[in-house]
Amino acid sequence: MTSDARTERLPRLLPRRLPSFTGFFGNLLVLVVVAWLLTNLAKTPGDFFQILLFGLSLGAIYALVALGYTLVYGILELINFAHGDVFMFGGTISAVFILEVFSLGSHEHWYVLWPVVAGCVVISMLICGILNVLIEMVAYRPLRNAPRLAPLITAVGMSFILQDVVLGWRGPNYITVPTTLPRSNIFAVGGVTYRWDELIVLLVTVPLLLGLVYLVQKTKQGKAMRATAQDREAAAMMGINVNRTISFTFLVAGALAGAGGLIYVLWQTQVRFDSGFRLGLISFTAAVLGGIGNLPGAVLGAVLIGLIQAFNEGLSWSAPGSDWTQSIVFSILILILVFRPEGLLGEKTPEGQ
Amino acid sequence: MSDAAATTGPSATAGAGAASDILLSVEGIHSYYGAIHALKGVTLEVRQGEIVTLIGANGAGKSSTLRSINGLPSPKVRDGRIVFDGQEITHRPGHEIVKLGIAQSPEGRRLFPRMTVVENLEMGAFQRSDKSGLKEDLERVFSLFPRLAERKTQKAGTMSGGEQQMCAIGRALMARPKLVLLDEPSMGLAPIFVERIFETIVEINRQGTAVLLVEQNALMALDVASRGYVLEIGQVVLSGPAQDLRKDEKVRKAYLGE
Ligand SMILES: Nc1ncnc2c1ncn2[C@@H]1O[C@H](COP(=O)(O)OP(=O)(O)O)[C@@H](O)[C@H]1O
Ligand SMILES: [Mg+2]
């Protein structure tokens, strides 16, 4: 119950000797990756920078989803396995609105495109935010004091339900939207081309990330979120409405996933009932890599994973290629969980996520 | 909710002189952690401006009493009632009770470890809507605990036990409560800190806040309190003016180690 008790409950299991041993192999691994990147940089510098820019945009979308995992974990110590599917739901809703409500064609004029994008961002964020709040109320809140495994199982159940709802609604095929984002080059210098759609992804994502930082650091609701995450009962003693704060956290996490879903659909132009599964697991890995519960960590982890994926799939010299992306990402997840469970930015104390 | 008005109305006004200075009245509450019956009919009172102490052995139910008053989700109050400042608060959610004027410095301090001292203190004022008094109250806490002023930007989790205790009491005061509940403020502290904490409790009370003090250090608690209650296995077994309790044979044997 008290923080002292918590410390005792989670003793450090790893013997002291282990860090140096793992440190050696960790450093070796990093060294090999860096050498591989430098070789590619030397061989094809143009490709290298172009892929780096692409990886940043990919990482930005992962960041929106990873933040949802980390926010919810921070406040409930629950891995919300349905979160990737909330992202998918946002993508599906956005696709349906783009196709059937706004009937967007390919390469619309900017004065048509932007109001529709803005509208879709709001709609998708709102729907996914509310959906996430309802998920918490129905599937997690009644199990608040149950053993930890119970809400984990309902989370997996929720994930299947969302997939089945979309499967029943839109069928098993990809929902494809027209290419709406301009794909012309912003610049093409020395073999490095940077396209508008990649920049637009960042232009939508970065303000959302900054907005979240402001929300969590400066607003009263944000402070309530941090307090509740650090000690739920003490937060209640301060007069914080804990249930409302948890709902608010799910609202924010869902809204970010909703925004991510929209941007993903605009950029990749297709989404399907199971799109959230893979992307959700990749984003979850990003959150763990950065240190689950740690907001800047989630963004850092997402950008790193985005870059790793982009380099793996894009570089020409000795890259394993896209068939190996999932294996690589999950190998990272396993290595992190085994050797550095607190992640890159997480503190070592049990309550220091 | 509806019976609150009915019960407080007539009785509060009829009692006039004697009843109107009663700030908190706990009336025969039974509280449960699941099936565990922790409080078996606890009755106590705190009057305006008083320091009242609640003493008893480990596991007697002191913390459970404070938690019940504070409206925390556990233990659940299943019987009896709690009236604060003329309103029944028995089943009110905790965040409303804080707003009515009860703040707690809990057992084990329970600071927000990754927030700074100032942020922790500000969290104490969470339910208050007046921004203007906030700075003034921060100054008040810093004048009560000059040590905290030196550590404003330090993360609370990295401070010593004594400093954390000061911060926890300061945080409770930031709510500008009418009644502050202190749960074992001297626990685990060096004697010099214990002295300092007790001096401050008296000072806080002198400035007008009623105090319900839970202590294992019964001797010092009875020194500063005007009245006391002795709790044993979830029941009040003895109560009265603090001086009388200090002289009581059973109390001296069981709690004062004499
Ligand atoms: N979280 C809990 N779950 C179950 N039983 C509890 C819990 N907390 C306290 N108790 C029980 O309630 C009784 C009173 O405990 P407590 O109020 O903490 O005593 P005190 O503060 O006087 O040491 C004890 O028997 C204790 O075992
Ligand atoms: Mg106790």
Side-chain angles (χ1 to χ4, degrees), chain A residues 1-3 217 220 223-224 226-231 233-241 347 351-353, chain B residues 67 70 72 74 94-95 98 104 106-108 110-115 119 122-128 131 171:
Chain A
M1 225 15 89
T2 69
S3 53
Q217 293 296 328
K220 199 161 172 162
K223 284 179 182 168
R226 285 160 64 206
T228 306
Q230 291 179 32
D231 191 329
E233 214 171 70
M237 288 179 197
M238 300 303 108
I240 291 168
N241 185 336
E347 292 163 37
E351 64 267 76
Q353 313 97 6
Chain B
R67 294 167 63 91
N70 225 176
L72 294 179
S74 75
H95 57 96
V98 177
Q104 178 169 186
E107 184 173 357
R110 307 292 287 269
L111 294 176
F112 303 111
R114 279 161 285 140
M115 289 190 182
E119 282 177 317
E122 283 171 353
M123 291 315 300
F126 189 83
Q127 264 300 340
R128 278 173 46 191
K131 280 274 162 282
R171 185 177 68 172

Side-chain angles (χ1 to χ4, degrees), chain A residues 161-192:
Chain A
I161 290 172
L162 286 178
Q163 290 186 31
D164 285 348
V165 164
V166 173
L167 185 63
W169 180 31
R170 305 298 305 194
N173 296 324
Y174 277 107
I175 313 165
T176 306
V177 302
T179 309
T180 47
L181 297 186
R183 290 189 169 173
S184 50
N185 291 344
I186 303 170
F187 61 76
V189 187
V192 186

Side-chain angles (χ1 to χ4, degrees), chain A residues 285-305:
Chain A
T285 303
V288 173
L289 175 61
I292 188 120
N294 181 307
L295 299 185
V299 177
L300 175 69
V303 169
L304 286 176
I305 296 275

Side-chain angles (χ1 to χ4, degrees), chain A residues 1, chain B residues 33-34 36-39 56-65 67 74-75 107 183-184 214 216 231 233-234:
Chain A
M1 225 15 89
Chain B
Y33 293 95
I36 299 170
H37 194 175
L39 300 184
N58 222 342
K62 306 181 296 295
S63 298
S64 302
T65 304
R67 294 167 63 91
S74 75
E107 184 173 357
D183 198 345
E184 307 218 18
V214 162
Q216 295 242 339
L231 213 54
I233 336 175

Side-chain angles (χ1 to χ4, degrees), chain B residues 129-247:
Chain B
S129 35
D130 59 314
K131 280 274 162 282
S132 55
L134 207 73
K135 228 177 141 67
E136 199 178 297
D137 287 3
L138 271 177
E139 287 313 314
R140 176 182 169 216
V141 170
F142 289 140
S143 72
L144 284 171
F145 301 112
R147 191 124 177 171
L148 290 182
E150 299 161 18
R151 309 207 177 278
K152 281 180 187 167
T153 57
Q154 188 170 339
K155 290 268 193 305
T158 66
M159 295 197 301
S160 77
E163 290 160 351
Q164 289 196 17
Q165 188 61 61
M166 293 171 176
C167 192
I169 296 175
R171 185 177 68 172
L173 294 179
M174 290 299 291
R176 274 204 194 168
K178 295 173 186 147
L179 170 68
V180 61
L181 313 176
L182 303 177
D183 198 345
E184 307 218 18
S186 74
M187 186 171 60
L189 301 190
I192 176 151
F193 272 122
V194 176
E195 288 277 337
R196 187 80 197 86
I197 295 284
F198 273 92
E199 280 166 25
T200 315
I201 291 169
V202 172
E203 174 60 21
I204 290 164
N205 178 249
R206 204 189 52 76
Q207 294 178 5
T209 311
V211 179
L212 179 53
L213 171 65
V214 162
E215 260 302 337
Q216 295 242 339
N217 193 335
L219 193 62
M220 292 191 78
L222 288 171
D223 262 349
V224 299
S226 58
R227 292 185 308 111
Y229 294 84
V230 180
L231 213 54
E232 254 172 37
I233 336 175
Q235 280 177 317
V236 175
V237 292
L238 208 59
S239 65
Q243 300 101 305
D244 296 0
L245 289 179
R246 283 202 63 171
K247 288 183 212 127

Side-chain angles (χ1 to χ4, degrees), chain A:
Chain A
M1 225 15 89
T2 69
S3 53
D4 302 307
R6 261 205 253 163
T7 319
E8 283 162 15
R9 215 165 358 101
L10 285 168
R12 291 231 63 84
L13 295 170
L14 301 178
R16 276 190 163 279
R17 190 177 52 80
L18 214 52
S20 61
F21 166 79
T22 59
F24 174 73
F25 282 99
N27 291 343
L28 197 68
L29 193 67
V30 171
L31 216 67
V32 169
V33 171
V34 169
W36 171 68
L37 286 174
L38 287 176
T39 312
N40 271 292
L41 175 61
K43 283 177 180 272
T44 48
D47 281 2
F48 184 89
F49 285 110
Q50 185 167 331
I51 291 164
L52 187 130
L53 290 170
F54 175 86
L56 282 181
S57 296
L58 193 60
I61 291 181
Y62 291 156
L64 288 178
V65 183
L67 280 167
Y69 282 103
T70 237
L71 279 167
V72 165
Y73 185 87
I75 207 146
L76 283 188
E77 295 188 16
L78 165 76
I79 295 160
N80 181 11
F81 278 116
H83 191 68
D85 303 286
V86 173
F87 158 85
M88 174 278 297
F89 198 80
T92 306
I93 291 279
S94 301
V96 168
F97 267 84
I98 289 169
L99 289 170
E100 288 167 19
V101 178
F102 299 113
S103 318
L104 220 56
S106 57
H107 306 293
E108 294 275 4
H109 286 295
W110 61 268
Y111 53 81
V112 179
L113 180 62
W114 291 119
V116 170
V117 168
C120 282
V121 166
V122 172
I123 290 165
S124 184
M125 287 178 82
L126 211 63
I127 290 178
C128 289
I130 292 169
L131 175 67
N132 217 24
V133 169
L134 293 177
I135 288 174
E136 189 269 330
M137 282 181 177
V138 171
Y140 308 148
R141 186 167 301 184
L143 299 170
R144 190 79 58 76
N145 298 316
R148 285 234 203 138
L149 191 58
L152 219 55
I153 291 167
T154 54
V156 174
M158 262 305 166
S159 164
F160 285 130
I161 290 172
L162 286 178
Q163 290 186 31
D164 285 348
V165 164
V166 173
L167 185 63
W169 180 31
R170 305 298 305 194
N173 296 324
Y174 277 107
I175 313 165
T176 306
V177 302
T179 309
T180 47
L181 297 186
R183 290 189 169 173
S184 50
N185 291 344
I186 303 170
F187 61 76
V189 187
V192 186
T193 57
Y194 191 40
R195 281 174 10 191
W196 274 108
D197 56 349
E198 288 168 36
L199 179 66
I200 289 168
V201 168
L202 287 181
L203 288 181
V204 180
T205 311
V206 172
L208 285 172
L209 298 182
L210 294 177
L212 181 73
V213 171
Y214 175 80
L215 178 81
V216 171
Q217 293 296 328
K218 300 288 176 205
T219 67
K220 199 161 172 162
Q221 267 302 326
K223 284 179 182 168
M225 278 165 71
R226 285 160 64 206
T228 306
Q230 291 179 32
D231 191 329
R232 194 186 303 165
E233 214 171 70
M237 288 179 197
M238 300 303 108
I240 291 168
N241 185 336
V242 168
N243 278 334
R244 208 177 62 192
T245 304
I246 291 173
S247 286
F248 183 77
T249 306
F250 274 81
L251 183 78
V252 171
L256 290 175
L262 167 74
I263 298 162
Y264 180 83
V265 157
L266 286 175
W267 194 30
Q268 301 294 316
T269 70
Q270 55 183 13
V271 64
R272 190 168 75 169
F273 71 99
D274 63 353
S275 301
F277 178 71
R278 180 164 177 267
L279 196 135
L281 276 174
I282 290 177
S283 303
F284 170 65
T285 303
V288 173
L289 175 61
I292 188 120
N294 181 307
L295 299 185
V299 177
L300 175 69
V303 169
L304 286 176
I305 296 275
L307 289 175
I308 288 167
Q309 182 180 350
F311 282 132
N312 172 52
E313 295 179 1
L315 288 178
S316 47
W317 182 74
S318 299
S322 64
D323 288 348
W324 288 90
T325 296
Q326 290 200 45
S327 307
I328 291 170
V329 168
F330 295 129
S331 302
I332 292 171
L333 180 62
I334 292 167
L335 289 176
I336 288 282
L337 285 176
V338 171
F339 294 116
R340 202 179 155 87
E342 73 275 16
L344 294 175
L345 298 189
E347 292 163 37
K348 286 214 166 175
T349 54
E351 64 267 76
Q353 313 97 6

